Amino acid sequence: MERILIIGAAGQIGSELTLELRKIYGSDHVFATDIKDPGREVMESGPFQLLDVMDDKRLIHFVIRHKITQIYHLAAVLSGNAEKLPIQAWHINMNSLMNILEVAKMVDEVKKVFWPSSIAVFGPTTPRINTPQLTVMEPTTVYGVSKLAGERWCEYYHRKYNLDVRSIRYPGLISYETEAGGGTTDYAVEIYYSAVKNGSYDCFLAENTALPLLFMPDAIKATVDLMEADPDKLSVHSAYNLGGMSITPKDIHAEISKQIPGFSISYSPDFRQTIAETWPQSIDDSVSARDWGCTYQYDLESMTEIMLEEISKKLNLNTLR
Ligand code: AKB
């Protein structure tokens, strides 16, 4: 039976992935950890412990004591925050990954590792429309550089030590459970909260900035599908492209306005606009579809309906038409 360790269970992906994995593998088999307390559902649905992935001694002790067989390492400093403290972000993003890879290499029981990469691995010299799996990669953000280096390390551990590391280049993720923190695509979560709370939003990206975005249930399904895929079918051991939808702030504004007619938006692009302009506008994920059957269920319309309904419930506000 699998025994799964989640690092970063209080975060945007971790809080939802933990619950999904507990449904699949049983609550007692999924050990949630973070450096801060997660939300009530993660806390109450199975084991949780405070654990800092940077503390390699406690990490290896935890993995051995709980007979862990799979590790999901989801903790990272995202693109916007990383630009404010580049050296610290590099240190945290790289050293945490190296700690995980080393533990997985040393402890025989650990059979699989999941680590998230990002569309941030691409840069201004990459083709921005329908960005292929294999292409020019010259990221200009410290976050992107750390993700690209991380991908190379994952592939190295696979080739050299036969470690089964799997990874996805996530686009911007949109969710209502736990808000994102410090990313360039965070606007796409903030806009929904602000629409429900205030009926207006001041966007830090310009109106026609297209980026690949994905609704969290599709991202969780993709993650589980990749981790359960037949290893013999996987041709990529760095990270797989994941596309989702190519969407601008103007598109989301128009969709929200259908349900909140007076919703107004203003645009005050900041330093994150410069980051967004170096990232793809849309992604070719045909290799993921071929190797492990990646598909999506949600489009902008169905996602917006759920986002507005769930946020209204959560905030106890009824602003919808
Ligand atoms: C960010 O905006 O930094 C992240 C990402 C695309 O990896 N959401």
Side-chain angles (χ1 to χ4, degrees), residues 41-85:
E41 266 194 288
V42 169
M43 205 67 157
E44 290 176 1
S45 62
F48 171 78
Q49 204 165 306
L50 289 173
L51 179 70
D52 185 351
V53 62
M54 302 300 281
D55 183 344
D56 55 346
K57 291 192 181 56
R58 271 203 69 210
L59 177 67
I60 195 161
H61 187 246
F62 189 100
V63 167
I64 292 170
R65 186 155 64 95
H66 294 286
K67 301 186 171 60
I68 296 298
T69 61
Q70 294 188 20
I71 304 177
Y72 287 71
H73 170 31
L74 307 170
V77 182
L78 298 186
S79 56
N81 279 351
E83 287 310 297
K84 294 179 196 155
L85 292 167

Side-chain angles (χ1 to χ4, degrees), residues 78-80 117-120 143 170-173 182-186 279:
L78 298 186
S79 56
S117 186
S118 161
I119 54 163
Y143 174 66
Y170 287 116
L173 299 179
T184 301
T185 58
D186 289 13
W279 287 357

